[in-house]
Amino acid sequence: MGSVADEAEITGPLLAAGGGDGATTPAVAERVPPWREQVTVRGIVVSAILGVLFCLITHKLNLTVGVIPSLNVSAGLLGYFLLRSWTAALERLGVVTKPFTKQENTVIQTCVVACYGLAFSGGFGSYMLAMDQKTYELIGTDYPGNRAVDVKNPSLGWMIGFMFVVSFLGLFSLVTLRKVMVIDYKLTYPSGTATAMLINSFHTTSGAELAEKQVSCLGKYLSISFLWNCFKWFFSGVGDSCGFDNFPSLGLAAFKNSFYFDFSPTYIGCGLICPHIVNCSTLLGAIISWGFLWPYISTKAGDWYPADLGSNDFKGLYGYKVFISVSVILGDGLYNLIKIIYATIKEIMNARSKEGRLPLVLVQDDDEGSKLSAEEKLRSDTFLKDRIPSWLAGSGYVCLAAISTATVPMIFPQVKWYLVLCAYIVAPLLAFCNSYGAGLTDWNLSSTYGKIGLFIFASLVGQRGGVIAGLAACGVMMSIVSTAADLMQDFRTGYLTLSSPRSMFVSQLIGTALGCVIAPLTFWLYWTAFDIGNPDGMFKAPYAVIFREMSILGVKGFSALPQHCLAICYGFFAAAIVINLLRDVTPKSVAKFIPLPMAMAIPFYIGAYFAIDMFVGTFILFVWERVNRKESEDFAGAIASGLICGDGIWSVPSAILSILRIDPPMCMYFKPSLSS
């Protein structure tokens, strides 16, 4: 597994320090400012401005299509230009300002992501809207289980209060595992890595030849990716069936089962950054699920489940997709969490003992293999220097959980305090699973965990209040697991930009506090200005109806799931544990070819298309390594980051065009040719 660890960690001047006096030891020459200098008043002001902008964009996407792209890169880019413009203007006026460092840039990006992240995990286009009167009426007053008493209309008071009592727990749930996730497991967090490379490129000083070449390479592929997305937009028409994103490159039959190459620079870039085993595991999971399992279960329509159900109905194929994928994720996450706990206890019991082999890390005993480069040593030392005490994380989580346990039932009387407490006991495990999966594949599956919480809580409460209780539980779960994954991704960015984890954590707290106010206020602008939830209007909020129907179904409990669903889930849960055991007990030469269950599970729910994109990226890297390994090591990360950054930056003008109701001029779509 040594090759896996090596591929997971991209090195070079651009990542190490962003420049210096020489190409060989650029990191050593750089001064790292204390963590208090990284969090600045001007940075917080810029973060608040960008937080408002990105919350508006997120709400717009939430209320129209329900799909939110990663805006980390855009946050880093706009943060740089705003603050650089600020300092340049003051300098022209003769005002002396502190230098704008990449650490301050990273803190701004972290704060913005924490702020706009609540516009998504807050459920303003999903579970929160599912509670209102209009959604109740859309489903129909005669719909079985849809009761008039299960209605709670939006208001600023309870929405802001709910955000404050549930949004901070995710920050404390995994902060003690940051070393394990970022340094020991060497999880790539592709968007976080790309953001770090972009920020480093902004602050690169002249003198490092390799760094300058990497910056040039990143800028080139960023431009290509941005222009390609602009070109794709012209053919994407209105709706979700047009354009290159729906190109049946492998044929129409394969397209129906989500097997197609969708020309996404982001996931090609992810394939270049992620280890080969991650990309191959993802493709294998896509083949197992969309190539065999789902087509087979589809043949049982009318037998195992009703044949006339919608694509998002838990009683049909959708139920299999959600629960089976989560069972694999939970099996993998539980196994690795137990491993971490065991290794920690063993180290405490015996100071001389070493941690067991981790899924993506090679433990090397030889002197040469254990020597860290100067760049990596500086990154690790900086990352571990300003520790966030474990007692602070633990006590913070317990105190916030206690406050939330007492407060949530006041906002939602249908949710009993002991159910909220149970949610907070289980939440760290789910947060770990989501953060681990996001580190491997860049997918944040918080909405999936939210749906599981929705289903379980609705079934526990039952007929009297189960619908609202399930939706509220969905909010609690989504908030924790989403915030934890965002925090760990930002820690990865901070690790690569030599930013203090303490400044990152403080900026997350500030950004979350801003988001608790900004996200509800910006949503209220849409709520008061537009006809939200109108199926014939612009802001259809399609997921509101889906989430309410899920909660109504959840009231009936697991008996409402399709036939054999739970039995198949048990099998896949056990398989995930067995595969992990095999990875740990087999020789290294064999273990490096055994797939990762977590990576396999993501396409079970999402689809096969992104796995194909990632495999294309890993295939390019594989060939490149055989042709010129040194060149691939130096520039693969820069190219990947450029592709991801260009795609991320395009999301901002794309959203603005959508808000201004400027539609693409053409719709390119495909259909079977007419037989003669």
Side-chain angles (χ1 to χ4, degrees):
M1 287 198 293
S3 61
V4 175
D6 294 339
E7 291 160 2
E9 182 67 17
I10 302 169
T11 59
L14 188 57
L15 275 185
D21 297 327
T24 56
T25 58
V28 178
E30 182 174 357
R31 174 187 176 270
V32 179
W35 75 269
R36 286 185 176 85
E37 294 182 12
Q38 299 174 22
V39 183
T40 62
V41 174
R42 66 186 184 185
I44 295 172
V45 173
V46 168
S47 299
I49 295 171
L50 291 178
V52 173
L53 172 63
F54 282 9
C55 279
L56 288 170
I57 292 172
T58 303
H59 287 317
K60 159 67 180 179
L61 297 174
N62 242 337
L63 297 171
T64 51
V65 297
V67 179
I68 313 298
S70 174
L71 298 173
N72 297 44
V73 170
S74 301
L77 175 66
L78 292 177
Y80 172 81
F81 282 116
L82 276 181
L83 200 45
R84 179 61 74 194
S85 301
W86 179 331
T87 55
L90 290 177
E91 286 173 2
R92 289 195 187 101
L93 296 174
V95 179
V96 179
T97 60
K98 289 184 178 179
F100 178 34
T101 64
K102 64 184 179 184
Q103 288 82 10
E104 186 179 1
N105 201 162
T106 304
V107 164
I108 292 172
Q109 178 266 339
T110 299
C111 194
V112 174
V113 170
C115 181
Y116 90 79
L118 295 188
F120 166 69
S121 63
F124 297 99
S126 55
Y127 68 83
M128 205 171 278
L129 268 189
M131 303 178 186
D132 81 337
Q133 181 72 25
K134 183 173 290 185
T135 306
Y136 160 74
E137 293 172 353
L138 277 175
I139 291 178
T141 56
D142 57 346
Y143 187 91
N146 190 33
R147 305 189 312 155
V149 294
D150 292 324
V151 169
K152 189 175 183 66
N153 288 309
S155 78
L156 276 178
W158 74 260
M159 288 193 300
I160 293 176
F162 183 67
M163 289 289 97
F164 268 105
V165 297
V166 303
S167 297
F168 289 90
L169 280 99
L171 302 180
F172 291 89
S173 61
L174 291 186
V175 68
T176 55
L177 295 181
R178 62 187 177 85
K179 176 181 177 293
V180 173
M181 305 288 269
V182 175
I183 296 180
D184 295 340
Y185 275 31
K186 295 186 182 294
L187 297 175
T188 54
Y189 292 98
S191 288
T193 298
T195 305
M197 292 197 74
L198 186 71
I199 291 174
N200 280 338
S201 72
F202 292 151
H203 301 270
T204 299
T205 57
S206 59
E209 182 180 353
L210 177 57
E212 290 178 352
K213 290 180 178 178
Q214 288 175 322
V215 171
S216 175
C217 186
L218 187 149
K220 175 183 176 182
Y221 282 89
L222 184 151
S223 302
I224 291 173
S225 177
F226 182 86
L227 292 174
W228 169 246
N229 276 280
C230 182
F231 176 76
K232 283 201 305 180
W233 177 82
F234 283 94
F235 299 91
S236 57
V238 180
D240 56 359
S241 61
C242 305
F244 285 93
D245 291 340
N246 296 279
F247 193 102
S249 48
L250 302 178
L252 289 170
F255 179 79
K256 291 179 181 178
N257 284 317
S258 75
F259 280 95
Y260 58 94
F261 178 65
D262 74 341
F263 300 91
S264 169
T266 290
Y267 294 113
I268 295 174
C270 288
L272 287 168
I273 288 180
C274 292
H276 292 311
I277 188 62
V278 172
N279 300 310
C280 293
S281 299
T282 305
L283 183 62
L284 178 61
I287 293 171
I288 291 173
S289 56
W290 292 90
F292 295 100
L293 188 59
W294 304 152
Y296 172 75
I297 294 177
S298 297
T299 64
K300 300 299 181 180
D303 182 11
W304 288 8
Y305 60 91
D308 56 347
L309 298 176
S311 59
N312 292 293
D313 198 319
F314 264 131
K315 292 179 288 187
L317 183 61
Y318 185 73
Y320 293 100
K321 293 178 182 177
V322 171
F323 278 88
I324 292 175
S325 62
V326 169
S327 67
V328 178
I329 291 170
L330 288 179
D332 191 313
L334 183 63
Y335 179 89
N336 283 287
L337 188 61
I338 291 174
K339 244 178 100 171
I340 292 171
I341 295 172
Y342 170 76
T344 303
I345 294 175
K346 186 178 178 182
E347 189 170 344
I348 293 173
M349 298 289 290
N350 183 359
R352 295 182 179 180
S353 66
K354 297 180 179 179
E355 278 191 3
R357 184 156 51 93
L358 297 172
L360 292 179
V361 179
L362 171 65
V363 178
Q364 296 171 312
D365 295 325
D366 58 291
D367 293 337
E368 183 179 354
S370 61
K371 288 181 180 178
L372 297 175
S373 66
E375 296 87 1
E376 186 177 352
K377 187 176 187 304
L378 179 60
R379 290 201 300 269
S380 298
D381 290 345
T382 303
F383 192 71
L384 298 175
K385 178 183 176 183
D386 293 324
R387 293 179 178 273
I388 301 164
S390 298
W391 65 265
L392 176 63
S395 59
Y397 187 84
V398 170
C399 291
L400 289 171
I403 294 171
S404 186
T405 300
T407 309
V408 170
M410 297 179 185
I411 302 173
F412 302 104
Q414 299 88 343
V415 187
K416 304 304 179 184
W417 67 268
Y418 50 85
L419 294 178
V420 181
L421 181 61
C422 289
Y424 289 137
I425 293 173
V426 176
L429 167 62
L430 302 181
F432 172 80
C433 294
N434 190 43
S435 298
Y436 183 48
L440 290 174
T441 65
D442 215 34
W443 276 100
N444 185 336
L445 295 181
S446 57
S447 63
T448 303
Y449 294 102
K451 291 167 187 172
I452 297 298
L454 178 154
F455 190 90
I456 293 174
F457 273 66
S459 64
L460 289 174
V461 175
Q463 294 288 344
R464 296 188 176 182
V467 173
I468 296 295
L471 293 169
C474 176
V476 171
M477 289 295 185
M478 274 186 66
S479 177
I480 293 176
V481 300
S482 179
T483 304
D486 288 342
L487 174 67
M488 211 56 66
Q489 179 144 261
D490 288 332
F491 273 145
R492 169 68 178 177
T493 304
Y495 170 74
L496 296 174
T497 58
L498 298 178
S499 301
S500 166
R502 193 169 294 180
S503 68
M504 303 289 289
F505 187 68
V506 170
S507 68
Q508 279 275 349
L509 290 173
I510 296 171
T512 301
L514 290 172
C516 288
V517 177
I518 293 174
L521 284 175
T522 48
F523 168 74
W524 200 249
L525 291 176
Y526 283 98
W527 179 258
T528 54
F530 302 101
D531 187 13
I532 304 297
N534 183 354
D536 299 319
M538 180 183 179
F539 299 98
K540 298 179 178 63
Y543 281 91
V545 171
I546 292 172
F547 271 70
R548 187 172 183 88
E549 288 182 345
M550 285 181 191
S551 195
I552 292 171
L553 175 67
V555 169
K556 300 177 183 178
F558 287 101
S559 61
L561 289 176
Q563 196 173 354
H564 305 303
C565 182
L566 285 180
I568 298 174
C569 288
Y570 295 147
F572 275 91
F573 181 87
I577 294 176
V578 170
I579 292 173
N580 274 296
L581 282 171
L582 288 175
R583 287 181 58 83
D584 282 339
V585 300
T586 53
K588 298 172 185 176
S589 58
V590 177
K592 66 181 181 180
F593 294 109
I594 298 177
L596 299 167
M598 181 73 74
M600 293 173 63
I602 307 297
F604 273 54
Y605 173 68
I606 301 296
Y609 61 92
F610 86 96
I612 293 174
D613 291 354
M614 291 179 69
F615 186 77
V616 168
T618 208
F619 179 76
I620 293 171
L621 180 62
F622 179 81
V623 174
W624 193 1
E625 287 172 340
R626 297 304 177 272
V627 175
N628 190 331
R629 188 172 188 88
K630 180 67 169 66
E631 187 180 79
S632 69
E633 290 175 351
D634 289 341
F635 295 104
I639 292 175
S641 299
L643 293 173
I644 296 172
C645 292
D647 208 349
I649 293 169
W650 168 252
S651 63
V652 175
S654 174
I656 293 173
L657 289 171
S658 180
I659 291 173
L660 298 176
R661 303 188 184 187
I662 300 175
D663 296 323
M666 290 173 278
C667 173
M668 179 180 70
Y669 70 97
F670 300 85
K671 63 181 180 179
S673 59
L674 297 175
S675 58
S676 56

